[in-house]
Amino acid sequence: MPFLNSQEAEQLETKQKFSKEKLGKIKEEISSSSTFSSEAFKNLCVYTTGSFARSEATDKSDLDIFIIGENDKQHHYGKIDEIKIFSELIRINKKLEFPEFSNDGEFLKIFKYNEVEKIIGSPIDDHNNWFTARMLLILESKCIYNDEKYNEFIEKIIKFYLRDKEHSNFKLYFLLNDILRFWRTLCLNYEVSRTNQSKKWGKKNISLKFSRRLTVFATIIYIFVFKINSEDDLIEMIKKTPWERLRESINKLNNSKINNDFTLFEKEYIDFLNLKEQYNTEIDNSRLEELGNSKTFRKLISDILLHQSIDEDLRLFLIS
């Protein structure tokens, strides 16, 4: 299939290298922290999402952090524990010269898994942002503290989505429905910011059409193309970035039209990454707006979903 030219490939590689190195540094800081070395916090994990998890960060990218713990007889996470942990994370964030946590630390809380597992799929699933934390864990995440617990929580969540696995003709409808629900939530959140005349709504619009759409639909496409239906396959998929999922899916399809669509999309996506961090509401952002209006990515997604190898039941599920 067609490839990026040398300059475009180098730009993408630079972002991937920067993301990996920066995450390595924060993992070192956390692992050497006396706070996180405490036995009291051995039953939780910390993971990042966003640009760093997608391996497309720059020096202007902030660190999006989520924490999942599990209360038991030895560990019970309360408000004081949250204050200790977040104070340490804020210190490390500042030391490594990351931008301040976005949205005034909206997601800086401990999600207690044994309390929130039972509400998965219920009307109150997104209470205190648990739905968002769970979906980003599956769709785009990198562990920065306690790999063992991170993997354990992923396995527990996947088992929940596979609870009807023994039924005949089982398909991942439960998980796919949540992924699509997450996409609709992102779209609604964008509409709210636009209606409220947020200064950042223009940048959110572009990110929604590129990085957010990539995160969601690269995962759906990967599930469809590779016919993912087991715990092992899902866990392997989660380890990949959205970009890797999309590229591997397109390689497997090996269709000339889809390959050409993907080449055009790659160029636009790299252009988007290079311009995104320069976004300013006071200057001309016409190129970003032009990219936001492009149909390239949507056509690529459509062509893949219409490919003859895609299970018709799965395809119809998207519009059912």
Side-chain angles (χ1 to χ4, degrees), residues 5-224:
N5 64 41
S6 59
Q7 182 180 5
E8 291 164 338
E10 183 179 355
Q11 290 171 342
L12 189 58
E13 185 179 347
T14 297
K15 289 178 172 58
Q16 292 169 342
K17 183 178 179 181
F18 176 83
S19 301
K20 183 178 180 179
E21 290 178 351
K22 198 76 170 180
L23 285 181
K25 289 179 181 179
I26 196 167
K27 289 185 77 169
E28 289 176 8
E29 287 290 333
I30 291 176
S31 63
S32 63
S33 162
S34 58
T35 299
F36 283 94
S37 298
S38 168
E39 183 65 30
F41 300 139
K42 293 294 185 181
N43 211 24
L44 56 76
C45 75
V46 184
Y47 62 95
T48 185
T49 64
S51 298
F52 281 98
R54 294 190 301 270
S55 297
E56 56 185 42
T58 70
D59 58 358
K60 294 182 180 180
S61 300
D62 58 0
L63 192 67
D64 298 311
I65 282 180
F66 291 86
I67 302 176
I68 300 181
E70 193 160 32
N71 285 344
D72 58 22
K73 292 181 180 179
Q74 287 77 37
H75 308 87
H76 186 84
Y77 302 111
K79 193 65 180 177
I80 298 300
D81 295 307
E82 288 189 346
I83 292 172
K84 289 178 181 178
I85 291 170
F86 299 139
S87 295
E88 183 65 0
L89 288 173
I90 290 169
R91 182 193 69 79
I92 293 172
N93 191 75
K94 184 175 182 180
K95 177 180 179 180
L96 295 179
E97 299 181 334
F98 285 99
E100 290 186 2
F101 291 121
S102 60
N103 298 323
D104 198 30
E106 176 184 4
F107 297 109
L108 292 182
K109 62 168 294 175
I110 298 175
F111 295 93
K112 290 94 169 178
Y113 184 77
N114 48 329
E115 295 178 10
V116 295
E117 180 189 45
K118 57 190 175 185
I119 66 171
I120 293 177
S122 75
I124 59 171
D125 192 10
D126 202 21
H127 182 61
N128 293 329
N129 296 311
W130 164 235
F131 176 61
T132 297
R134 183 177 80 251
M135 295 316 299
L136 288 176
L137 174 67
I138 293 171
L139 296 171
E140 53 163 56
S141 69
K142 288 283 191 298
C143 182
I144 55 177
Y145 170 71
N146 202 341
D147 290 322
E148 182 179 351
K149 294 302 293 187
Y150 171 82
N151 292 330
E152 180 183 323
F153 287 131
I154 285 177
E155 289 179 12
K156 286 183 176 183
I157 290 172
I158 292 304
K159 287 182 187 302
F160 197 91
Y161 282 114
L162 294 173
R163 59 188 180 181
D164 296 324
K165 182 70 171 67
E166 301 309 314
H167 289 189
S168 62
N169 198 30
F170 172 82
K171 288 184 172 63
L172 290 173
Y173 291 147
F174 187 4
L175 175 58
L176 287 167
N177 187 66
D178 262 2
I179 295 173
L180 290 171
R181 176 180 158 210
F182 181 64
W183 170 247
R184 296 181 188 111
T185 300
L186 292 173
C187 293
L188 286 171
N189 289 344
Y190 158 71
E191 286 298 328
V192 170
S193 67
R194 184 177 68 86
T195 303
N196 292 339
Q197 294 297 307
S198 166
K199 288 185 178 181
K200 295 182 179 180
W201 76 266
K203 185 176 181 180
K204 287 183 178 180
N205 179 32
I206 303 297
S207 295
L208 179 70
K209 293 179 177 180
F210 277 88
S211 52
R212 294 301 195 185
R213 181 176 279 153
L214 174 67
T215 291
V216 170
F217 286 96
T219 306
I220 291 173
I221 286 168
Y222 189 90
I223 290 172
F224 282 22

Side-chain angles (χ1 to χ4, degrees), residues 295-320:
K295 297 180 181 179
T296 302
F297 195 8
R298 285 176 289 170
K299 287 173 61 179
L300 173 62
I301 294 170
S302 176
D303 287 346
I304 293 172
L305 295 178
L306 291 173
H307 190 272
Q308 61 184 6
S309 68
I310 301 298
D311 185 319
E312 184 179 34
D313 286 342
L314 291 174
R315 186 191 299 126
L316 292 176
F317 172 76
L318 296 179
I319 57 173
S320 63

Side-chain angles (χ1 to χ4, degrees), residues 238-271:
I238 290 170
K239 294 177 182 178
K240 302 177 188 293
T241 65
W243 190 266
E244 289 170 337
R245 292 170 203 159
L246 182 60
R247 176 177 279 278
E248 289 180 19
S249 298
I250 289 170
N251 282 339
K252 182 173 177 60
L253 293 176
N254 192 27
N255 177 277
S256 59
K257 186 179 187 304
I258 292 174
N259 289 347
N260 290 333
D261 287 347
F262 180 60
T263 298
L264 292 175
F265 166 65
E266 275 188 309
K267 294 178 184 298
E268 286 191 359
Y269 197 86
I270 291 173
D271 203 2

